Each structure stands twice: as C-alpha cells, then as structure tokens.
C-alpha cells in the first residue's frame, strides 16, 4: 500500500520539481543507518538540485543574494552518532555541505534523549513500538513541568553521543553545527522562563565549544508557537527551521523555514516523491 502510494506520487516528481524550481527545499534527516542507500540519495540530489550551505542561505537573507535554481539544503536533527560514522564519509566523498542541529545537553554524554527513555521502558514492559510511540505522543502534550515529573519513572538509557571532538570533525568537514535546544523539550509546552533557560544553557555550550551556530535553530519536534518565536527573537536567532513537511514559499521568512521530513534508508520512489514536493503537497491536502 505504502509503496504503491509513493510510486504513484513519484510519477509526479518531474512536475513538482519544475513547479517549485525556485523554492528552497530543506531536507530534515535524523540518522544514517545505511550509507549505501544514503549515497544513492545524495547522488540523485546532486544530479537534480543545487545543494547550498548555511552561509549561502544567510547571505540570501542578509544581502538579498539570489539562491541558485533548485536550491536544496541538507539538515540532520538530534546529533545521532551515525551522522558521523556513516553520513559524513559519504557527504565528504561527494563534497556536500550540510547542517546538524544538536541537543547541547547530550554532547559528551552516554545518555539518550527523553523520548527514547519512554520507548525503551514501555517496550521492555511488553508494548509494541507503535504503542510505545503513542505514550511518547501523549507525553508531548503535557506541560513541561508535568512531563519532567513523570520522566522520573523512566530510567536513563545508555547510548553513545557525539563528543566535542566529533563535532569539531564534522564542522571541519562541511557540516554546520546548529542549535536544537539543551534538552529537547516541547517548547510550546514550556514557560517563558523554561524556554530562556534552554537557550541560555545551549548558548553556553556553543560558546565553550567555540561554534558560531547558536543562532541557527530548529524547533524540537517542530513545535513552534508565538511565545517561543518572541523569545527566539530576543536571543537574536538568524535562521529558524520548522519540521512541517513543506517546501518553502518564494518569499521565505528566515525565522520560519519549512523542512521536508525524509529518512536516509527509504526507497528512491519514496525519496523522490518527498523531495520533489509531490508527497508534501498531497500530504497537506489530505489534512
Ligand atoms: Zn529533534
């Protein structure tokens, strides 16, 4: 069913690619479980799109510099170690820039993000992955205080995380290190004080590590709201990214940049349907 849907949609990919030739596409990846499939995707992207970096996007907004035709930016969220171990070698081989949104509180630790702690315990207690995801979903609706209280029932999960050295290596090889908060809370469920605290802590880490990307930000889970936007402005964010599975409009707002959700291990038909804009278009029609 799923495959049929994507092959039907991917037959529209030429149409959508042309229709949106002057609009920025930003891809949002998380992990790189399979470097062979990921490389196929990159080869396809290189043949169809002009892959830009964060600096090009900044000067587009700052100095009105036009973007190339078919512009595309590659991003990763959460800083999974496979981005370094399997993603970077392939990106480097093809000489491609990208951007990594990191959870600053996880750097140099062996802890996993709170979402995985819930999944781990629920599945250990017999729930399926989908059932565990439902629990995660319900936690995303809680106020941040309540969520943190209930998280005490979920023990830490051990998982290797990127170190400061790893981030330097990524940064020296074309990956821009950017901000995804300190602990990945749902910002629309936080108080103004909690939001400021998240950003202040992240800022300290960026300063300590001497990375300039604090002001390039992606909302955890894509949860944007007015209160958070106001605070992000106070912290002088230059580029802010969503997680809305959309292609950008012609006149983009640098503080509301859309991203298309992709995975690095999906079939080419699904990948083409998503990147071209065919899938995002029908996805939002259905809602
Ligand atoms: Zn995230």
């Amino acid at each position: 069913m799923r495959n049929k849907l994507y092959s039907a949609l991917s037959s529209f990919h030429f149409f959508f690619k042309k229709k949106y030739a002057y609009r920025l596409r930003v891809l949002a990846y998380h992990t790189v479980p399979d470097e062979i499939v990921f490389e196929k995707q990159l080869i396809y992207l290189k043949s169809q799109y002009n892959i830009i970096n964060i600096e090009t996007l900044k000067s587009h907004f700052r100095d009105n510099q036009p973007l190339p035709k078919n512009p595309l930016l590659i991003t990763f969220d959460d800083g999974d170690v496979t981005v370094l171990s399997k993603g970077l070698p392939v990106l480097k081989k093809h000489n491609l820039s990208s951007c990594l949104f990191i959870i600053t509180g996880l750097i140099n630790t062996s802890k996993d993000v709170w979402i995985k702690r819930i999944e781990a315990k629920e599945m250990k207690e017999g729930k399926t992955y989908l059932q565990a995801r439902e629990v995660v979903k319900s936690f995303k609706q809680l106020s941040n205080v309540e969520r943190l209280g209930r998280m005490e029932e979920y023990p830490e999960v051990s998982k290797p995380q990127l170190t400061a050295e790893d981030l330097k290596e990524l940064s020296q090889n074309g990956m821009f290190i950017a901000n995804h908060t300190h602990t990945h809370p749902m910002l629309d469920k936080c108080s103004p004080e909690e939001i400021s605290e998240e950003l202040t802590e992240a800022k300290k880490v960026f300063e300590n590590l001497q990375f300039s990307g604090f002001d390039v930000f992606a909302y955890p889970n894509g949860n944007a709201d007015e209160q958070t936007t106001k605070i992000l402005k106070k912290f002088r964010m230059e580029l802010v990214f969503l997680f809305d599975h959309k292609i950008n409009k012609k006149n983009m707002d640098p503080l509301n940049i859309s991203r298309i959700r992709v995975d690095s291990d999906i079939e080419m038909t699904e990948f083409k349907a998503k990147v071209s804009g065919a899938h995002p278009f029908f996805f939002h029609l259905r809602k």
Side-chain angles (χ1 to χ4, degrees):
M1 182 59 206
R2 189 182 157 93
N3 280 345
K4 269 193 186 152
L5 168 76
Y6 288 117
S7 57
L9 287 177
S10 74
S11 57
F12 290 103
H13 83 271
F14 280 117
F15 170 78
F16 278 93
K17 196 195 155 212
K18 217 174 152 191
K19 178 174 156 81
Y20 298 140
Y22 291 94
R23 307 219 197 158
L24 175 67
R25 289 163 167 87
V26 184
L27 302 188
Y29 285 99
H30 279 91
T31 60
V32 185
D34 185 328
E35 63 263 68
I36 296 168
V37 184
F38 183 51
E39 183 170 21
K40 272 192 198 157
Q41 295 182 352
L42 293 184
I43 291 169
Y44 171 74
L45 292 177
K46 262 181 101 171
S47 72
Q48 300 290 321
Y49 297 96
N50 277 306
I51 297 169
I52 64 163
N53 61 24
I54 288 288
E55 290 311 321
T56 305
L57 190 57
K58 280 186 175 178
S59 53
H60 169 70
F61 289 116
R62 265 188 214 158
D63 316 318
N64 242 333
Q65 286 292 324
L67 292 175
K69 195 179 172 186
N70 293 313
L72 185 142
L73 176 70
I74 298 169
T75 72
F76 299 89
D77 282 12
D78 302 347
D80 190 80
V81 287
T82 58
V83 172
L84 172 70
S85 61
K86 297 186 178 178
L88 187 70
V90 195
L91 286 158
K92 238 172 109 174
K93 181 176 161 192
H94 293 279
N95 205 15
L96 295 173
S97 304
S98 58
C99 174
L100 175 66
F101 292 101
I102 53 164
I103 304 164
T104 52
L106 295 181
I107 299 165
N108 291 330
T109 73
S110 50
K111 291 178 183 175
D112 210 344
V113 68
W114 62 268
I115 294 162
K116 301 288 174 193
R117 281 163 59 190
I118 297 178
E119 287 174 10
K121 181 164 180 259
E122 295 294 341
M123 285 165 74
K124 206 172 153 192
E125 289 172 0
K127 287 209 170 73
T128 63
Y129 176 68
L130 286 180
Q131 288 167 335
R133 289 298 301 175
E134 284 303 312
V135 180
V136 170
K137 227 171 157 185
S138 70
F139 269 66
K140 287 179 176 176
Q141 303 302 323
L142 301 175
S143 77
N144 199 49
V145 180
E146 194 181 348
R147 180 183 62 84
L148 290 175
R150 303 231 330 237
M151 282 313 294
E152 282 166 22
E153 298 158 30
Y154 293 91
E156 292 288 352
V157 172
S158 172
K159 180 180 181 276
Q161 295 289 346
L162 295 174
T163 64
E165 281 307 304
D166 293 336
L167 293 174
K168 284 201 178 109
E169 190 184 340
L170 289 164
S171 146
Q172 283 159 1
N173 288 286
M175 202 174 281
F176 186 91
I177 307 300
N179 182 1
H180 198 40
T181 72
H182 194 60
T183 69
H184 206 276
M186 303 295 98
L187 291 174
D188 60 336
K189 301 288 183 273
C190 289
S191 68
E193 293 72 29
E194 286 170 323
I195 299 170
S196 296
E197 172 82 8
E198 279 290 326
L199 296 173
T200 305
E201 288 305 310
K203 193 167 190 189
K204 278 186 210 160
V205 176
F206 272 87
E207 282 170 0
N208 279 341
L209 297 177
Q210 296 181 309
F211 288 127
S212 66
F214 168 77
D215 59 1
V216 175
F217 182 82
Y219 290 99
N221 206 47
N223 291 20
D225 69 347
E226 248 174 65
Q227 170 176 262
T228 311
T229 307
K230 258 189 209 163
I231 299 170
L232 290 175
K233 280 182 187 161
K234 267 192 214 157
F235 278 84
R236 307 178 91 68
M237 293 299 167
E238 187 167 1
L239 300 175
V240 177
F241 292 84
L242 307 167
F243 192 61
D244 52 353
H245 202 51
K246 285 182 180 168
I247 288 187
N248 284 284
K249 299 207 175 85
K250 256 192 190 158
N251 289 319
M252 280 185 287
D253 171 2
L255 300 185
N256 276 298
I257 303 172
S258 288
R259 292 190 298 164
I260 302 169
R261 300 172 200 168
V262 287
D263 291 301
S264 60
D265 57 351
I266 54 179
E267 296 283 342
M268 278 312 285
T269 46
E270 180 173 346
F271 189 67
K272 285 180 190 176
K274 288 182 170 171
V275 177
S276 65
H279 181 263
F281 181 81
F282 288 104
F283 176 82
H284 290 289
L285 267 190
R286 271 194 335 193
K287 283 206 288 188

